[in-house]
mmCIF file of all heavy atoms in Angstrom:
data_model
loop_
_atom_site.group_PDB
_atom_site.id
_atom_site.type_symbol
_atom_site.label_atom_id
_atom_site.label_comp_id
_atom_site.label_asym_id
_atom_site.label_seq_id
_atom_site.Cartn_x
_atom_site.Cartn_y
_atom_site.Cartn_z
ATOM 1 N N VAL E 27 -10.331 15.435 12.461
ATOM 2 C CA VAL E 27 -11.486 14.511 12.402
ATOM 3 C C VAL E 27 -11.927 14.070 13.808
ATOM 4 O O VAL E 27 -13.087 14.280 14.173
ATOM 5 C CB VAL E 27 -11.202 13.301 11.479
ATOM 6 C CG1 VAL E 27 -12.351 12.300 11.534
ATOM 7 C CG2 VAL E 27 -10.986 13.771 10.055
ATOM 8 N N PRO E 28 -11.029 13.477 14.637
ATOM 9 C CA PRO E 28 -11.507 13.102 15.976
ATOM 10 C C PRO E 28 -11.859 14.311 16.839
ATOM 11 O O PRO E 28 -12.764 14.228 17.683
ATOM 12 C CB PRO E 28 -10.331 12.313 16.576
ATOM 13 C CG PRO E 28 -9.148 12.680 15.782
ATOM 14 C CD PRO E 28 -9.631 13.036 14.412
ATOM 15 N N ILE E 29 -11.154 15.439 16.614
ATOM 16 C CA ILE E 29 -11.468 16.639 17.411
ATOM 17 C C ILE E 29 -12.905 17.065 17.114
ATOM 18 O O ILE E 29 -13.702 17.306 18.028
ATOM 19 C CB ILE E 29 -10.469 17.788 17.102
ATOM 20 C CG1 ILE E 29 -9.080 17.435 17.648
ATOM 21 C CG2 ILE E 29 -10.953 19.108 17.700
ATOM 22 C CD1 ILE E 29 -7.967 18.396 17.254
ATOM 23 N N ILE E 30 -13.255 17.120 15.841
ATOM 24 C CA ILE E 30 -14.616 17.554 15.471
ATOM 25 C C ILE E 30 -15.652 16.516 15.907
ATOM 26 O O ILE E 30 -16.742 16.864 16.343
ATOM 27 C CB ILE E 30 -14.679 17.865 13.960
ATOM 28 C CG1 ILE E 30 -13.892 19.148 13.748
ATOM 29 C CG2 ILE E 30 -16.111 17.972 13.455
ATOM 30 C CD1 ILE E 30 -14.023 19.842 12.459
ATOM 31 N N ALA E 31 -15.270 15.232 15.819
ATOM 32 C CA ALA E 31 -16.198 14.190 16.294
ATOM 33 C C ALA E 31 -16.463 14.362 17.792
ATOM 34 O O ALA E 31 -17.599 14.245 18.241
ATOM 35 C CB ALA E 31 -15.619 12.812 16.000
ATOM 36 N N SER E 32 -15.398 14.678 18.550
ATOM 37 C CA SER E 32 -15.574 14.879 19.993
ATOM 38 C C SER E 32 -16.390 16.133 20.278
ATOM 39 O O SER E 32 -17.252 16.144 21.160
ATOM 40 C CB SER E 32 -14.213 14.991 20.691
ATOM 41 O OG SER E 32 -13.655 13.712 20.844
ATOM 42 N N LEU E 33 -16.114 17.208 19.518
ATOM 43 C CA LEU E 33 -16.873 18.456 19.722
ATOM 44 C C LEU E 33 -18.351 18.246 19.361
ATOM 45 O O LEU E 33 -19.245 18.742 20.059
ATOM 46 C CB LEU E 33 -16.285 19.580 18.860
ATOM 47 C CG LEU E 33 -14.962 20.179 19.350
ATOM 48 C CD1 LEU E 33 -14.383 21.118 18.292
ATOM 49 C CD2 LEU E 33 -15.145 20.918 20.669
ATOM 50 N N SER E 34 -18.610 17.505 18.288
ATOM 51 C CA SER E 34 -19.996 17.296 17.844
ATOM 52 C C SER E 34 -20.783 16.445 18.831
ATOM 53 O O SER E 34 -21.952 16.700 19.090
ATOM 54 C CB SER E 34 -20.032 16.598 16.477
ATOM 55 O OG SER E 34 -19.362 17.363 15.532
ATOM 56 N N THR E 35 -20.125 15.406 19.359
ATOM 57 C CA THR E 35 -20.851 14.500 20.262
ATOM 58 C C THR E 35 -20.775 14.954 21.718
ATOM 59 O O THR E 35 -21.545 14.492 22.553
ATOM 60 C CB THR E 35 -20.236 13.080 20.192
ATOM 61 O OG1 THR E 35 -18.839 13.176 20.489
ATOM 62 C CG2 THR E 35 -20.421 12.461 18.825
ATOM 63 N N GLY E 36 -19.813 15.828 22.014
ATOM 64 C CA GLY E 36 -19.598 16.243 23.407
ATOM 65 C C GLY E 36 -18.900 15.152 24.217
ATOM 66 O O GLY E 36 -18.835 15.221 25.435
ATOM 67 N N VAL E 37 -18.362 14.142 23.520
ATOM 68 C CA VAL E 37 -17.691 13.034 24.215
ATOM 69 C C VAL E 37 -16.194 13.076 23.910
ATOM 70 O O VAL E 37 -15.800 13.108 22.742
ATOM 71 C CB VAL E 37 -18.262 11.665 23.745
ATOM 72 C CG1 VAL E 37 -17.474 10.510 24.361
ATOM 73 C CG2 VAL E 37 -19.730 11.554 24.083
ATOM 74 N N TRP E 38 -15.389 13.101 24.948
ATOM 75 C CA TRP E 38 -13.926 13.050 24.781
ATOM 76 C C TRP E 38 -13.439 11.766 25.433
ATOM 77 O O TRP E 38 -13.990 11.369 26.465
ATOM 78 C CB TRP E 38 -13.261 14.275 25.433
ATOM 79 C CG TRP E 38 -13.624 15.539 24.717
ATOM 80 C CD1 TRP E 38 -14.762 16.271 24.901
ATOM 81 C CD2 TRP E 38 -12.893 16.190 23.684
ATOM 82 N NE1 TRP E 38 -14.783 17.346 24.047
ATOM 83 C CE2 TRP E 38 -13.642 17.328 23.279
ATOM 84 C CE3 TRP E 38 -11.678 15.942 23.038
ATOM 85 C CZ2 TRP E 38 -13.216 18.203 22.278
ATOM 86 C CZ3 TRP E 38 -11.249 16.823 22.054
ATOM 87 C CH2 TRP E 38 -12.013 17.940 21.670
ATOM 88 N N PRO E 39 -12.428 11.133 24.867
ATOM 89 C CA PRO E 39 -11.977 9.877 25.491
ATOM 90 C C PRO E 39 -11.322 10.145 26.846
ATOM 91 O O PRO E 39 -10.577 11.108 26.978
ATOM 92 C CB PRO E 39 -10.946 9.328 24.496
ATOM 93 C CG PRO E 39 -10.577 10.457 23.616
ATOM 94 C CD PRO E 39 -11.660 11.476 23.663
#
Side-chain angles (χ1 to χ4, degrees):
Chain E
V27 175
I29 291 172
I30 289 193
S32 282
L33 285 171
S34 301
T35 56
V37 174
W38 293 83

